Amino acid sequence: MEKLLYEASLEGNLNMLLMLLQEDPLILDRVTLDRHGDTPLHIASMLGHVDFVKEVIARKPQLAMECDSQKRLPLHIASAKGHVDIVKALVSANPETCFARDRDGGNPIHLAAIKGCCEVVKELVEAKPHAARAMVQQETILHLCVKHNQLEVLKLLIETMSDHEFINTKDAHGNTILHLAVADKQVQTINLLLLNTTIEVNATNMNGETSMDILAQVPRDLKYQQIMQSLTRAGAVETYTQASFRQVPIKYHKKPRYLREELTENDDWLNRKRSSLMVVASLIATMAFQAGTNPPSGVWQDDSSNNPLRKAGFAVMPSNHPTLYHIFLVCNTVGFVSTLSIILLLISGLPFLKHKVFLWVLMVIMWIATASMSITYSVSIWVLTPTPQSKSFRQVAGGIVVVWIALMTLLVVGHTIRIVAVAFRKFEKLVLPRKRTISSPIVINHAEI
C-alpha cells in the first residue's frame, strides 16, 4: 500500500489517495515513521500536484513540518519549483514553515529568490516579512539575488523592504550588493541600486575597496564604460589600499584613473555645450516661427479687386516688396529648419552625439541658422524703416549684420582648423609609435618591463 501511495503522489492521483486512506486511515502516519527521505507530500509538492497536496494537508497538516534527507520541508521544494498555489496551501497550513532552514541554512524564500520565482517570493514576503531578513552564511537575500543575477526578484524586494540598513548590509567579506554587482558587471542591477535605493556607493569591504576599486579589477569592455559612467555620476571614488595594490599591478591602477578623469571632464564639457545649444536652438526656432506667421508690415485686413495679392489674411510685404519678401521667407525657413534639426539630433540619443566632431557639426548648423536669422532681421528693418528719413540707418544696420556674419564665419573656420589639427595629431600618435617599435626594440622592452 505504501508503494501505491508513492505512485499516487508521483501521478497526483487523488482518487487513489482517497481509496488508500479509506482502506488504511493511518497510512500517512505509517509512511513518515517507516521512511526517512521524500514523503508523498514532498513528491507532490515537487511535481506541482495541487489537489493532492491540499488533500494530504487537510487530513494531516503536521506533514508540512516533515523534513527530507536535506532537512527540506515540502515548502522548500514548492518554493524552489515556483508552484505558487502549493506554496499558498502549505503556508496556510503552517505559516511558521517560512522560517525553517535546510541543511545549507536557507529558508523557503531564499530558495525561491535564487531560482527567480517572483510570485513565490511575493507570497512568502506577505506571509512572513521577517523570513526575508534572515541571513544565509552571512549573506542576505539581496546578496543571493545579485550572486544569481535575479534582477526581477531584487526589484520586488527593494520595493517591499528597501530600508537603508538592510540595503547596505555586508557579507562575510564586507561586500555590499553593489560590490557584487560591479564585480559581475551587472549593468541593470547597478543602475537599479544607484537610482532607486540608498546604497552607499563608497562603502568599503574588508580589503578597503570601494565599488570603483572593484571595477578597476574587471576586464574592460562596453559594460565597463557604462558602469564607470553610472558610478561616476553617483559620486563613487577610488580608495587605493595596500591590499588592492597587491592584487592588481600598479600600472593597471594608474592608467584607469587618468582615463576616467579625462572621460569625466570631456563628458561634463560636452553635456554643458549640448544643453546650451538646445536652449539657443529652441529660442531661435520660436523666433523664426513667430516671424513666419507674423511677417513684417502685417497682413491685409480686407480684399481688393484691383490687386489679386491683396486678400484678407495675406501678407502685405509681397505686394510692396516682392523680392525682399522672397529673401525673407527663404532665410527665415532655413533658420527655422536648421534649429529644428539641432533639437531633433540632441534629443535622439544617438551614440555618436558624444564626440566633439558632432559638436562641431552642430555649431556649423547653428551658424547657418543665426546667419539666416540675421538676414531675416536685416530685411525686416529694411522694409519697416521709411526710406527718406532713415536711408543711412538702413546702411548702418546692414553693415553691422554683414560684419557680424563675417566674424561668425571666422569663428567657424577657426574651429574647423582646430578639429583638423586635433585629428592630425591623433593620426600622428597612431603612426609614430609603430615606427619606433621597429627601429628601437630596446625601448619597447624596457617600457614593458
Side-chain angles (χ1 to χ4, degrees), residues 151-169:
L151 180 60
E152 295 302 321
V153 179
L154 183 63
K155 287 181 181 179
L156 174 63
L157 293 171
I158 287 175
E159 292 173 359
T160 54
M161 46 192 304
S162 60
D163 60 89
H164 180 77
E165 182 178 358
F166 186 60
I167 289 291
N168 290 281
T169 303

Side-chain angles (χ1 to χ4, degrees), residues 55 75 87 92 99 112 128 223 226 248 279 302 430 434 447:
E55 185 64 29
L75 183 59
V87 168
S92 299
F99 297 98
K128 291 293 181 180
K223 288 185 178 180
Q226 294 174 346
V248 183
V279 173
D302 54 0
L430 291 174
R434 297 179 181 178

Side-chain angles (χ1 to χ4, degrees), residues 139-150:
E139 291 181 334
T140 66
I141 190 173
L142 302 182
H143 286 89
L144 297 177
C145 289
V146 176
K147 286 180 65 176
H148 296 273
N149 200 11
Q150 298 295 348

Side-chain angles (χ1 to χ4, degrees), residues 252-444:
Y252 190 76
H253 281 278
K254 289 182 178 179
K255 189 175 180 181
R257 176 183 290 181
Y258 168 76
L259 292 177
R260 279 192 290 271
E261 290 176 354
E262 183 179 0
L263 179 63
T264 303
E265 292 175 359
N266 289 338
D267 286 345
D268 292 341
W269 182 80
L270 289 173
N271 287 333
R272 290 195 301 269
K273 293 300 180 183
R274 286 195 293 266
S275 299
S276 301
L277 282 173
M278 176 66 78
V279 173
V280 175
S282 301
L283 178 61
I284 294 178
T286 303
M287 294 168 52
F289 178 85
Q290 187 68 21
T293 55
N294 295 282
S297 301
V299 297
W300 296 110
Q301 301 299 318
D302 54 0
D303 297 337
S304 174
S305 57
N306 297 328
N307 187 356
L309 297 178
R310 179 172 177 176
K311 291 186 178 181
F314 281 19
V316 177
M317 191 175 173
S319 300
N320 300 334
H321 307 279
T323 303
L324 291 177
Y325 181 75
H326 179 74
I327 297 173
F328 168 86
L329 200 59
V330 170
C331 292
N332 190 71
T333 303
V334 170
F336 182 70
V337 173
S338 299
T339 50
L340 286 184
S341 301
I342 294 174
I343 295 172
L344 179 61
L345 288 171
L346 289 175
I347 66 176
S348 63
L350 296 174
F352 63 84
L353 303 181
K354 298 181 180 180
H355 298 286
K356 289 186 178 181
V357 176
F358 174 75
L359 187 65
W360 172 80
V361 174
L362 289 183
M363 188 184 67
V364 173
I365 299 175
M366 181 60 72
W367 174 83
I368 295 173
T370 52
S372 300
M373 295 308 298
S374 300
I375 297 174
T376 301
Y377 170 80
S378 180
V379 171
S380 301
I381 294 299
W382 190 279
V383 170
L384 296 175
T385 304
T387 304
Q389 291 83 356
S390 303
K391 184 176 181 180
S392 59
F393 176 77
R394 286 180 174 180
Q395 295 174 348
V396 171
I400 292 174
V401 170
V402 170
V403 171
W404 185 85
I405 293 176
L407 292 175
M408 292 299 297
T409 303
L410 291 176
L411 180 63
V412 171
V413 172
H415 276 283
T416 303
I417 295 173
R418 179 174 174 271
I419 291 233
V420 172
V422 171
F424 179 78
R425 283 199 299 269
K426 289 185 177 180
F427 176 78
E428 189 178 24
K429 288 180 181 179
L430 291 174
V431 173
L432 290 181
R434 297 179 181 178
K435 295 181 179 180
R436 286 195 296 267
T437 303
I438 298 173
S439 59
S440 305
I442 297 176
V443 176
I444 296 301

